[in-house]
Amino acid sequence: MNRKIILTATFMGALAIMFGAFGAHGLKKVLTPEQLITFETGVKYQIYHALFLCFVVLLPGLSDKIRSAVFYCTSLGVLFFSGSIYLLATGSVTGIDFKPFGWITPIGGLLMIVGWILVFIDFFKKKA
């Protein structure tokens, strides 16, 4: 499981850097400042959670069951949250209205929160 988490985290981190560069350089002239800020929010949360997954791998004492649940919640959460934000922010460029799918964004956010809470609960239960 740790190998899968590290591979996912590093891929997610590399993509976040690419999307950040693309947003800063490639989209700067075609998006409004508000759309750019929205796009950057997706990038930030993606990189934060790539780092979170690296942290999760290094946590001693985290049960395999919880580690797996955190991995899936976080990965799916980033896909839903950041992915939907990227699509919503670039809708004016692609010409595709993704607003009807905007409900996916908070579900992604909730999944990321659940990942953090699972780590908290697992360690809170431990006595030492």
Side-chain angles (χ1 to χ4, degrees):
M1 176 53 70
N2 282 350
R3 183 176 191 276
K4 183 190 287 189
I5 295 172
I6 289 292
L7 288 171
T8 302
T10 55
F11 180 73
M12 190 184 298
L15 273 180
I17 293 167
M18 288 185 255
F19 288 160
F22 179 63
H25 302 291
L27 295 176
K28 193 172 189 176
K29 294 180 182 176
V30 295
L31 295 183
T32 66
E34 293 81 18
Q35 290 169 320
L36 274 175
I37 290 169
T38 299
F39 191 88
E40 289 172 3
T41 298
V43 171
K44 283 188 239 178
Y45 277 81
Q46 184 172 334
I47 197 73
Y48 295 155
H49 286 84
L51 294 170
F52 174 61
L53 287 176
C54 290
F55 169 73
V56 165
V57 167
L58 298 173
L59 282 175
L62 189 64
S63 74
D64 289 339
K65 181 180 175 183
I66 295 297
R67 192 181 317 272
S68 180
V70 169
F71 167 70
Y72 288 111
C73 285
T74 302
S75 298
L76 197 57
V78 168
L79 180 65
F80 286 4
F81 183 84
S82 293
S84 65
I85 284 181
Y86 298 144
L87 295 173
L88 289 165
T90 59
S92 64
V93 176
T94 63
I96 302 170
D97 182 16
F98 291 103
K99 288 181 185 168
F101 302 99
W103 57 270
I104 293 172
T105 309
I107 292 172
L110 181 62
L111 286 168
M112 291 186 296
I113 292 167
V114 168
W116 286 87
I117 290 172
L118 288 171
V119 173
F120 175 84
I121 290 170
D122 195 60
F123 276 90
F124 186 78
K125 288 180 180 179
K126 297 189 184 340
K127 301 294 180 205

